[in-house]
């Protein structure tokens, strides 16, 4: 029990360690080790675009969560990946305000590829729509050239 102000409260505490050992109570300073195991079913759905540009593309037409983004920017200049919490029919790039803008760096010597992971996910309460532009501003409608921005969105 825990003694709190002279009152004893029943309490169960987790400990970890090999059988017959005690490596200490689970706490922030001594977290419970967890091992993630692969499973054959479940996982994220994948949205894929080989030519993302200023024309909005719908990842999911209803509420969802984004868990990761795998992208390539084949341009020498930075491109901007924009996420909208709306259906594609409700998004006008340059007018609708994105909820998330991610700069995709360019490189004159080589293509840039990256993976962004969101382990807890980013929730979209309405829908998930994406676009890419050549400028950072919310009202930018600059069109990346053909096949400059490649994106894969991992979502549920």
């Amino acid at each position: 029990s825990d003694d709190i102000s002279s009152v004893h409260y029943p309490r169960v505490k987790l400990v970890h360690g090999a059988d017959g050992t005690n490596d200490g109570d689970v706490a922030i300073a001594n977290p419970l080790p967890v091992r993630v195991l692969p499973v054959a079913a479940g996982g994220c759905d994948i949205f894929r675009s080989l030519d993302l540009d200023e024309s909005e593309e719908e990842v999911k037409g209803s509420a969802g969560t984004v868990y990761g983004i795998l992208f390539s920017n084949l341009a020498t200049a930075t491109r901007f990946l924009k996420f909208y919490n709306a259906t594609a029919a409700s998004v006008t790039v340059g007018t609708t305000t994105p909820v998330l803008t991610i700069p995709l760096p360019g490189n004159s010597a080589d293509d840039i590829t990256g993976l962004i992971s969101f382990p807890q996910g980013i929730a979209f309460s309405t829908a998930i729509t994406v676009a890419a532009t050549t400028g950072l501003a919310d009202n930018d409608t600059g069109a990346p050239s053909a096949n400059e921005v490649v994106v894969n969105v991992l979502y549920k």
Side-chain angles (χ1 to χ4, degrees):
S1 71
D2 269 358
D3 183 348
I4 302 172
S5 300
S6 299
V7 176
H8 287 269
Y9 295 90
R11 184 164 177 186
V12 176
K13 293 185 177 185
L14 292 176
V15 297
H16 58 86
D19 190 26
T21 65
N22 179 349
D23 290 339
D25 291 343
V26 173
I28 291 174
N30 190 30
L32 182 67
V34 176
R35 185 173 68 168
V36 178
L37 299 174
V39 294
C44 291
D45 294 316
I46 302 169
F47 166 83
R48 175 177 171 250
S49 177
L50 300 177
D51 184 21
L52 189 65
D53 57 23
E54 81 291 356
S55 299
E56 61 280 347
E57 293 189 34
E58 194 166 271
V59 174
K60 185 176 183 189
S62 60
T65 302
V66 173
Y67 290 96
I69 305 162
L70 178 62
F71 68 86
S72 291
N73 179 6
L74 307 179
T76 57
T78 300
R79 298 296 181 246
F80 298 89
L81 178 60
K82 298 178 180 184
F83 281 80
Y84 302 87
N85 186 21
T87 61
S90 300
V91 171
T92 300
V93 175
T95 301
T96 307
T97 302
V99 295
L100 180 65
T101 300
I102 302 171
L104 309 177
N107 187 332
S108 60
D110 205 356
D111 301 332
I112 298 294
T113 297
L115 173 65
I116 303 170
S117 177
F118 308 106
Q120 283 73 35
I122 298 175
F124 288 75
S125 59
T126 302
I128 307 168
T129 297
V130 294
T133 62
T134 57
L136 172 64
D138 289 347
N139 66 350
D140 185 78
T141 58
S145 295
N147 303 318
E148 276 187 350
V149 177
V150 176
V151 68
N152 295 276
V153 179
L154 309 175
Y155 71 95
K156 258 317 189 186

